[in-house]
Amino acid sequence: LGWNSPALPAAADRLVEHYDNHGEVDLRPAAVVVPGGRAGRRLIELLLERTSSRGAVFTPPHRLVTLGRLPELLYRPSRPPADSAVARQAWVQALREIPQDILASVFPARPEAPEGWLALAATVIPLHRELMGEGMMFADVARSFGAAGTYNDAQRWHALGQVQDRYLELLAEVGLADLDRSRMEALAGGALRTPGDVWLVGVVELPGLVRRMLQAVPGTHRSLIHAREEDAAGFDEFGCVDPAAWIDRHLPLRDDQIHYAGGPAHQAAVVTGILGGLADDHTAEEVVVGVPDRELVPYLERSLSTAGVPHRRPAGIPLSATGPFRFLQALADYLDVKTFPSLAALLRHPDLPFRAASGEEENGGRVLELADRCHAAHLPADLAASPLPGGGSRHSVQDLIDGLNECLDLETLQGRRHLSAWMPGLMDLLVGVYEGKTANQDHPRRQRILDACRIIRGAAATLAALPPVLDSDIKAPQAIRRLLAELRGDEIAPAPEEEAVQFLGWLELPLDDAPVVILTGCNEPFLPSAAGGDPILPGSLRSSLGLADDRHRSARDAYLLAALLSSRRQVHLTVGRHGAGGDPLRPSRLLFASPDEEAARRIQSCLERGEPARAAGRVPAPETRRSGFRSPPEAEIRVADPPHALRVTDFGALLTDPYRFALQRLLRLEPLDDAAREMEGRLYGTVAHEVLHRFGTSPVVHSGEVAKMSRVLDRLLDHEILTRFGTHPVPAVLVQREHLRRRLGAFANWHAGWIGEGWQVMRSEAVPEEQVFLDVDGLPLQLLGRIDRIDYHAASGVWALFDYKTGEQGNDPEKVHRRGRKGAKRWVDLQLPLYRRLLAGFRDESGTPLVSADDLDRVRMGYILLPRDLDRTGGRLASWEPEDLAEADEAARQVVRQLRTGIFPFADGGVSFGRRDPFAALLGHLELPLLAGEQEEEGR
């Protein structure tokens, strides 16, 4: 066909010329074979355009099929072929029937659950299809080892051969046939027929069985090859690529067509930049983006959407990404293992028509908040084996479970049934969830739901009609997963959209006729695509059997890239240096299919650091749409009635970041999710505080005996873990419990020495009995707070106010409370200095002040540290002078004055954002890793 134009337009011209008979183009005698359905639809469009421009009458071919359907034009099956669902079930049954001593040579561990057998079938089925497509049975592979001279894996393939034989017998028992086996039998029996003139359009690979069928069938077959006449020797009699002719071919690729990028996001930005440079010369429909690596698609969609570039996936939306599929997936997980994560995942599904048992609020409000709060407090794991502790939470979560059971009628999904018997009930359940959600089919999401439900219903109908010999007795979650296994790989066709940039896979790309091509992800193993990664059918065995191996794929892809480069107006290639996880990527070997000097230059360019594609100026930045999201949402937060009381911990929050204080304390924003799988800093600290509080009020607190105190602390810790997390907590909690036990043991050693010095624990978790106020400009503000521990040394008359700290680093009070150089320090936290003021609210048993005003100069403040480094365990008292505390009091008054303005401004750049900061995204900052030496905040 030559390379003056893309393959399909040239093929349409040739077909019209061949069948044009005095103004009538009749293609009924032709059987046209194309690689894929999209190419077939486009070919018909082009044929219509060509005949219309000639003013000719056009009759389309009666037979326009994809390559996979070509064999059925050449013979008539004696038995109906088994569809994929029945065939998959027959494979599962065959695998289960084979004795384990035979099967063990292939799969050493025998699965216990139906899902395991399904996974084994998913491993065997692709091998069966590929080898049968070459006309080989598994037993043929076993026999090949003696002659091949490779390693001997005959035993494994003999075992697979027995499974394959039983699979074919099972299909025969139900009157069905394996499609590939029927083709082999038709060829062996000479039962082939001619379908007319066979035209192979753009077919560059033919399975061996199809090749032999075409050779045996009477009639004519022609191949339309997209190449120059001088390259004719590079193709065989069927127009397929000859590896020897293309494996070392230099490609017509220029350096300025290659754009190097960093990760997936940068690749997407490069593509968007290229599109921005094309905007004046080409419409969106004249550009196609090739995506050999499908993981790039979300990044491309995000980048193009931001730039306002319309785009479309012609292949469609994966069914596995739709609401109905994910609902069934979440339901199966919950039914299979009654864990809190599986419950929460199901509750979070946006399509769940669920009300709390109280019936007061819809899903998304009270239900999810209750579930998240329960998770944050208790980290529940197995709901059946470990009832949730705590009266209120336990009762409320049970309400969630009861409401969910009632909403979905989960009682009907109990017990065991045949796979076919489960399908009607599952479809009734799906109807109940999605009834009413598809009323307006004009809405894209509703249409996707409707399409997904139709596809799921079709697969369920097939499974409901399983022959009895292939049916199996299973539980509901296993039946759901069996249904979902049949749906993986299915896609929902997107809505038609004119003038959109199309995303195409690599093999679809050469058969598109857009004048501009942007090929992304030019990295191994996506381009060329790898063929030898199967552990049962490795590359060496593929080569010895004559199957398509990496050499064939490299040659094929070299030819396809050469055709693209030669027949399109513009071709751009992007090369990533690393994947989404930061792992390095190898550039495609096709980039270096050039003379040595060019290859060396490209290797050097690829190894350069930085982002040369944008820096070199070859890719213009696109004009992006202005986002409607503001960061921060407001430049300042204003409140009409500032609070008249503050906790002593609030002062530090206001000093550090008034804006964040307003978000958390005034607007009541808080992080709430179920992502934690261990006790995070706050919860870990809460557990430690509770244990230490109970110890502080126990009879042994003043015993001074380390062993006795350690035993009490151990018992209190075990009780707290059991009460809070139940009998079966998540494994990480058990590990953290033992870490905390070691810290408490070190605390017992320190405490014994502290008591030995004459100190007494006077109060634990102490809250003032009377209100305490801070006078600021003649107006009082109430101080709120709880002092973890108040100690007294009778011999000296000194008081010590302590706050327990379980942070990893164990910083001293001075480091936490004041920053800056010596002589110019400023207060950034006021918790401990304000503890002194809280003392005014404490009374002893006689009603007199616990600490008189005259004794305030004998009050010291500090931390009791329980850090990771056990050697740092113990009390750390601050050595602040009276003038330092006077500065702290003034700093507190300044905080109150700012509070009373009711204005809380955002100060960009003045606040640090740490790991898992819940407000980072809202305030326009990315999450940062925890820096060395940075202490993760823990609180109460």
Side-chain angles (χ1 to χ4, degrees), residues 605-619:
S605 296
C606 189
L607 293 175
E608 289 176 358
R609 293 188 174 273
E611 311 292 3
R614 180 64 57 84
R618 294 199 301 266
V619 180

Side-chain angles (χ1 to χ4, degrees), residues 46-98:
L46 291 167
L47 288 170
L48 282 169
E49 290 176 7
R50 289 341 189 231
T51 52
S52 296
S53 65
R54 293 179 175 219
V57 177
F58 173 60
T59 305
H62 282 178
R63 306 173 191 87
L64 192 153
V65 297
T66 60
L67 180 59
R69 295 299 179 188
L70 169 59
E72 278 56 61
L73 296 182
L74 308 179
Y75 77 103
R76 179 169 296 169
S78 59
R79 286 178 296 169
D83 58 35
S84 63
V86 173
R88 195 185 311 272
Q89 196 66 14
W91 277 111
V92 169
Q93 187 74 7
L95 285 162
R96 298 186 71 160
E97 291 183 9
I98 297 300

